Amino acid sequence: MEKLERLASFFDALRSPTRLKILQVVAETDRPLHIEAVAKMLGINYAAIYRHIQALRQQGLLKVYEVGRSRVLALTRPQLLRQLLELADKFLSEAQG
C-alpha cells in the first residue's frame, strides 16, 4: 500500500469521536483496561466498542491482550499519540484564527 493510502487509513481510524474517546480513556489510566470496562465507561455495548477497537488496533494505536477469558487494552505508543493529538489540536486552533 502506498504511503498516502496508509496515511488515509490511519486518519480514517481517528475520524470517529467514539474512537478518540476510547483512546482518551485508555490513555488516562496507568494500567491496561478491560474492554468491558471501557464499554461501561462510555455507555456503549461491547460489540460496538469492539468494532471501534479493531479499527484502532489495525492501525497500531492499541494493543489487545488476552488475560484469561478477558481482553484488555493498552496504547502502543502513548507519548507519540499524545503528541499527535496535541499537534492536531494546535493545527485546528491556528486554522480557526
Side-chain angles (χ1 to χ4, degrees), residues 40-57:
K40 285 180 184 176
M41 286 178 189
L42 298 180
I44 300 171
N45 72 51
Y46 184 91
I49 282 286
Y50 195 74
R51 284 191 298 274
H52 287 294
I53 287 168
Q54 285 300 96
L56 295 168
R57 183 181 183 189

Side-chain angles (χ1 to χ4, degrees), residues 8-27:
S9 293
F10 179 81
F11 284 112
D12 189 51
L14 295 174
R15 72 176 162 77
S16 164
T18 299
R19 292 178 188 166
L20 293 173
K21 287 177 190 174
I22 292 167
L23 293 172
Q24 182 180 28
V25 166
V26 175

Side-chain angles (χ1 to χ4, degrees), residues 62-97:
L62 284 178
K63 293 183 261 185
V64 179
Y65 299 98
E66 302 286 332
V67 178
R69 293 175 36 183
S70 298
R71 292 185 176 130
V72 296
L73 303 171
L75 295 177
T76 55
R77 294 178 288 280
Q79 184 59 31
L80 196 55
L81 178 64
R82 194 171 297 112
Q83 290 172 345
L84 174 67
L85 295 176
E86 287 171 2
L87 183 60
D89 187 48
K90 181 178 179 183
F91 180 85
L92 292 172
S93 294
E94 290 177 6
Q96 294 174 355

